[in-house]
Amino acid sequence: MEKLTGKKIDTAVFISGSGSNLNSIIKNSLKKNFPIKISLVISNNKNAYGINYAKNNKIKFKIINSKKMINFESKTLIILKKNNIKLICLAGFMKVLSDKFIKDFKYKILNIHPSLLPKYKGLNTHKRVLKNKEKFSGCTVHYVTNKLDSGRVILQKKVRIIKADNEKTLRKKILKIEHLLYPKAIKLALKN
Ligand code: GAR
């Protein structure tokens, strides 16, 4: 596994949608002593708004929208190798990577999920949390395995849910802390 050596680690961020976490990671990566450089953005969705953050920051991006995951993964692995990528950050990437991809890539893969994992894996997190009248929710950055939203937790942050919260306010509140948590977790993951 890659250690901090002074040179910024070439990193790819995988997105499927709005890309606000991508934006926050890019901003952090521009700081002198942040350990990674975003060298590549991969989107499986050609309409993902997040692609604009790559464009605006002159970061190389690829849209790989193969329907079959096996095709997505083989194309992606070639591009990752070409670009010397040594870390992948999934940021709102709504596909599950196979065991083979994870093994073939060889380096660390991180993901962020908007819940206090292991609770509320999968989709419609905020809706389910509110339906169950939870008092807290939050977000988690974890290592990626071939099981959905599983893998060792790197960092987790809690937020209190108030009576007035709805899906929109909860999503907004949690995204705000995701933008702080992900960069912290990246630093931590690269120290270990
Ligand atoms: C974020 O809330 C992220 O935690 C979630 O998708 C959103 C993407 O927002 N990811 C998952 O649910 C993964 N299972 P963004 O595109 O604005 O970063």
Side-chain angles (χ1 to χ4, degrees):
M1 287 291 175
E2 202 71 13
K3 289 260 175 200
L4 271 179
T5 55
K7 186 187 174 294
K8 288 192 178 223
I9 292 169
D10 287 297
T11 299
V13 181
F14 288 19
I15 60 165
S16 300
S18 51
S20 68
N21 277 289
L22 166 66
N23 188 31
S24 131
I25 297 170
I26 292 173
K27 279 189 182 154
N28 278 278
S29 73
L30 297 175
K31 294 178 190 162
K32 196 172 164 238
N33 48 15
F34 199 75
I36 65 166
K37 171 180 184 234
I38 308 305
S39 306
L40 181 66
V41 171
I42 289 189
S43 175
N44 67 318
N45 169 14
K46 69 174 177 17
N47 298 317
Y49 181 81
I51 294 166
N52 291 306
Y53 295 117
K55 286 184 186 164
N56 295 343
N57 288 281
K58 300 191 169 43
I59 294 168
K60 189 190 273 190
F61 67 91
K62 294 273 180 206
I63 294 154
I64 305 178
N65 52 6
S66 317
K67 283 225 169 66
K68 285 191 179 155
M69 209 43 195
I70 191 164
N71 297 335
F72 171 91
E73 290 183 345
S74 57
K75 286 180 193 165
T76 299
L77 273 172
I78 294 168
I79 298 169
L80 294 174
K81 228 181 188 167
K82 254 191 198 159
N83 288 278
N84 193 35
I85 299 299
K86 299 282 169 60
L87 175 74
I88 296 173
C89 296
L90 308 183
F93 180 67
M94 295 312 202
K95 295 268 184 199
V96 180
L97 297 168
S98 73
D99 211 19
K100 183 176 183 313
F101 178 90
I102 294 166
K103 281 194 185 120
D104 287 351
F105 177 62
K106 291 201 291 247
Y107 304 98
K108 288 174 179 171
I109 307 179
L110 316 183
N111 182 41
I112 189 155
H113 185 72
S115 79
L116 296 171
L117 290 174
K119 289 173 99 178
Y120 300 100
K121 297 173 183 177
L123 298 174
N124 301 315
T125 317
H126 307 307
K127 194 177 182 174
R128 289 183 286 135
V129 163
L130 290 168
K131 196 173 168 218
N132 287 344
K133 302 201 184 318
E134 297 281 4
K135 291 198 168 57
F136 294 95
S137 189
C139 56
T140 307
V141 180
H142 63 94
Y143 290 105
V144 170
T145 66
N146 64 338
K147 292 204 180 68
L148 181 70
D149 300 324
S150 300
R152 187 154 62 84
V153 169
I154 301 165
L155 275 180
Q156 192 164 66
K157 178 109 180 131
K158 244 186 193 180
V159 292
R160 187 181 289 278
I161 299 174
I162 56 165
K163 262 206 173 141
D165 270 329
N166 54 42
E167 263 185 78
K168 200 175 158 192
T169 60
L170 190 57
R171 174 174 301 109
K172 202 172 158 194
K173 206 148 88 171
I174 292 179
L175 265 177
K176 209 169 156 189
I177 59 167
E178 287 186 41
H179 299 158
L180 302 174
L181 196 73
Y182 213 160
K184 270 192 196 163
I186 291 170
K187 275 189 169 176
L188 206 60
L190 292 174
K191 272 187 195 149
N192 299 322

